[in-house]
Structures are given as C-alpha cells and as structure tokens.
Amino acid sequence: MQTRLLTSDATGYAAAAGIWRAGGLVAFPTETVYGLGADARDDRAVARIFEAKARPRFNPLIVHVASIDAARDLVVWSDAAEIVASAFWPGPLTLVLPLREGSALSALVTADLPTLAVRVPGHPVARDLLAAHDGPIAAPSANPSGRISPTEAAHVLAGLQGRIEAVIDGCACTVGVESTILGLAGDPVLLRPGGVPVEALEVALGRPVGARDDRQNLTAPGQMRSHYAPRVPVRLEAEAARPGEAMLGFGAVLADLNLSLSGDLTEAAANLFHHLHALDATEAAGIAVSPIPEQGLGRAINDRLRRAAAPKG
Ligand code: TXA
Ligand code: MG
C-alpha cells in the first residue's frame, strides 16, 4: 500500500472522508498530536488501527466528534460534563463517561468497557474533517505502539508509511502533548495529565480532581510505564550532558535543543515530541533532559518524559 499525503483543503477532506467511509485509515492533525483515525462504528476499520500501530492489546480508544451535541449522543451526559465541556471544548480535554446504550460504536473502541472516552478537538483541520465525515472517528496517536507521538505529517510517514491509506498534511500541533483525560463516570478523577492543566479543571468544577486508582489500571499503552520511548536512553533532571549525550534543555542552559529558553511551559509542551524525534535521529548515545517544574503543563511534560526514560520491556 502507498500512503497518500493529502492536502488540508476541501479536496483533501473529501478524499479523507471517502477513505473513512470505505473502512480505511487516515492520520490527521489535532492541536495535541496527530491521530490515526477510523470510523468508530466500523469494527474492521477500528481493528486495522491496532494492526497498523502493532498495538499489543485491544485498548480503548478516544472517539473524536465535531460538537458537544454529537458527544451527548454517545455518552450519558452530566452537569460536571457540561461545565468542563463548555469551558474547554473544542480543545485538549477528553472526558470518560458512561457509554450510552445504542450508540452503534464498535465494541473494539471501548474494549467492551461500560465507559467511553470522547473529545471535541480544536485544530481547524480536525474540525473541518469531522464536519466532512459526519460521524464519530476513533483515533489514537498516529505512531507505532511504544514510540514517540507524532506532531508533524513527516513523523507519521516515518512510522506508518505503507500501513495506512493517507495522512493529512496540516500545520504543526500547537499543544504538543496529548489531551488531559478526565474520568467523570463517578467522582472526577485525572486519568492522564495533558493539554488542559488539572488546576484549571478544578477551578471550573469548583472541587478537587482525584488521582487515578492504579488498582483499576486499564493496562492501556498510554498508562504503561515505558511509552513514548526514543530508541536511546533518556536521563531526567540533568544539569548538563555527559560525553556522548545530547542535551534537551529547559530554560537558560547550554543544550543541543531547548524546549523553551524563557522557561515557558506552553512552549515546552509544543516542542516536546518534535525535539525528542529530532534528537533521537542523531548519533547521540543518550538524551539528557533539564528539570521541568511539576505544575500546570509541566505535569503532562514530566509524565511523558518519565515514560520515555523508563526501562523498556
Ligand atoms: O490528544 C489525544 O488524546 C490524542 C489525539 C489523537 O486525540 N489521542 C490519544 O489517544 O492520545 P491514545 O490512544 O494514544 O490514548 C488514549 C488513552 C489510552 O491511554 C486509554 O487508556 C484511555 O485513553 N482511554 C480510552 N478509553 C478509556 C476509557 N473508557 N476509560 C479510561 N481510559 C480510557
Ligand atoms: Mg498514544
């Protein structure tokens, strides 16, 4: 199979919608990372997502929809969902809510769980595509399982060329880390730190958001200890590079690449996967990373870095 590079205009969207209708896979930009999309109602198409990524198990996927109304059709809505959805959608927030009966989604999307992860992405290309397709799109990050998430069409092609029908060539992903996943099936719980800081969710909800209970671990890749992994070892909290290492800096430090010279966490998140891809492609024997403050978007950045640094296997 030859993977087509589609343009982000009406012609490209029509081609993508045609591929989705026919059960194919199209990678597309969102404001967080590139997603690998399939029609969420089509069992075979959703199964092909797992095959293309070589994802080891059938883990639940996030469903992307065009609007709050479209989300309400799929899940059992609540006051808390209304508050955070109107505050942060479209945007980098995923809500886990009870699956609505008769939603017509493939059981592979939810891994047969009674809940569904759903979000309304904010990237203009993703929004135009969802409007062109007129249906729910299941999409994990568009990388081979266990590798760094893609923030450019070129990253997607490097990992999935020949395994998927097409990639939309859109502008870069501005947030750069995956969406925050908020569990709202019971008391609010942070299932994954991401593009919306948990502090902002607590302000909107007017109550604390609990931590994930590891006894209910879904053993999904995003929750595995080693994930988002470059080929070479990653060393955290580094003041400087050791011989042979490349330095990924944060703030005013000497570095091969810097997440943000001025110490801006938003800029750092947007650069994170791009810089990891770039340093992983050099001859360096390892990647040393400056300390990142554990607050706001820093929580999501540190979560991804700790997984990148965790022993593999
Ligand atoms: O920013 C993002 O969220 C990107 C873009 C493409 O939208 N997508 C993404 O998908 O990061 P993925 O498959 O890499 O991560 C989905 C995560 C998994 O870790 C899984 O555990 C969690 O969502 N998830 C999905 N359904 C769930 C559910 N019903 N309950 C709890 N967690 C769920
Ligand atoms: Mg992923």
Side-chain angles (χ1 to χ4, degrees), residues 47-134:
R48 281 198 50 215
I49 290 180
F50 293 93
E51 196 186 316
K53 285 180 59 96
R55 205 158 164 151
R57 299 186 198 83
F58 288 137
N59 299 296
L61 302 176
I62 297 172
V63 167
H64 299 65
V65 292
S67 65
I68 292 187
D69 281 345
R72 282 172 192 272
D73 289 343
L74 301 176
V75 291
V76 180
W77 206 240
S78 66
D79 291 346
E82 184 65 32
I83 290 169
V84 288
S86 37
F88 300 104
W89 279 356
L93 175 68
T94 295
L95 300 180
V96 172
L97 289 158
L99 180 65
R100 186 182 281 281
E101 237 176 276
S103 71
L105 294 180
S106 163
L108 280 179
V109 168
T110 55
D112 249 350
L113 290 169
T115 54
L116 175 71
V118 64
R119 88 174 181 103
V120 177
H123 195 293
V125 173
R127 294 179 61 73
D128 287 349
L129 269 171
L130 289 170
H133 175 64
D134 193 25

Side-chain angles (χ1 to χ4, degrees), residues 64-308:
H64 299 65
V65 292
S67 65
I68 292 187
D69 281 345
R72 282 172 192 272
D73 289 343
L74 301 176
V75 291
V76 180
W77 206 240
S78 66
D79 291 346
E82 184 65 32
I83 290 169
V84 288
S86 37
F88 300 104
W89 279 356
L93 175 68
T94 295
L95 300 180
V96 172
L97 289 158
L99 180 65
R100 186 182 281 281
E101 237 176 276
S103 71
L105 294 180
S106 163
L108 280 179
V109 168
T110 55
D112 249 350
L113 290 169
T115 54
L116 175 71
V118 64
R119 88 174 181 103
V120 177
H123 195 293
V125 173
R127 294 179 61 73
D128 287 349
L129 269 171
L130 289 170
H133 175 64
D134 193 25
I137 292 295
S141 49
N143 50 284
S145 189
R147 306 240 66 106
I148 305 165
S149 292
T151 52
E152 295 172 13
H155 297 158
V156 178
L157 286 172
L160 298 175
Q161 172 84 267
R163 308 176 69 92
I164 64 177
E165 274 76 7
V167 185
I168 303 260
D169 193 10
C171 48
C173 306
T174 52
V175 176
V177 288
E178 291 86 347
S179 60
T180 299
I181 305 182
L182 177 67
L184 286 178
D187 286 338
V189 43
L190 182 69
L191 297 173
R192 176 177 75 182
V196 173
V198 67
E199 296 91 332
L201 293 172
E202 292 183 326
V203 168
L205 288 167
R207 60 181 294 191
V209 170
R212 194 166 64 91
D213 180 351
D214 275 318
R215 285 166 305 183
Q216 294 163 7
N217 197 336
L218 288 166
T219 63
Q223 326 281 348
M224 281 181 190
R225 222 154 70 79
S226 170
H227 193 52
Y228 312 101
R231 284 160 227 280
V232 297
V234 174
R235 189 166 62 84
L236 304 182
E237 312 272 335
E239 296 304 330
R242 293 176 185 156
E245 279 182 340
M247 182 75 196
L248 178 59
F250 177 80
V253 295
L254 197 62
D256 296 277
L257 286 175
N258 204 305
L259 291 168
S260 170
L261 264 174
S262 66
D264 180 293
L265 288 168
T266 305
E267 183 186 14
N271 285 330
L272 179 65
F273 290 136
H274 176 272
H275 286 4
L276 282 174
H277 275 284
L279 294 179
D280 202 23
T282 68
E283 299 291 296
I287 301 173
V289 190
S290 294
I292 314 281
E294 184 72 11
Q295 68 189 49
L297 282 178
R299 292 181 201 277
I301 297 171
N302 282 325
D303 173 78
R304 305 309 187 269
L305 284 172
R306 280 192 287 268
R307 292 173 203 279

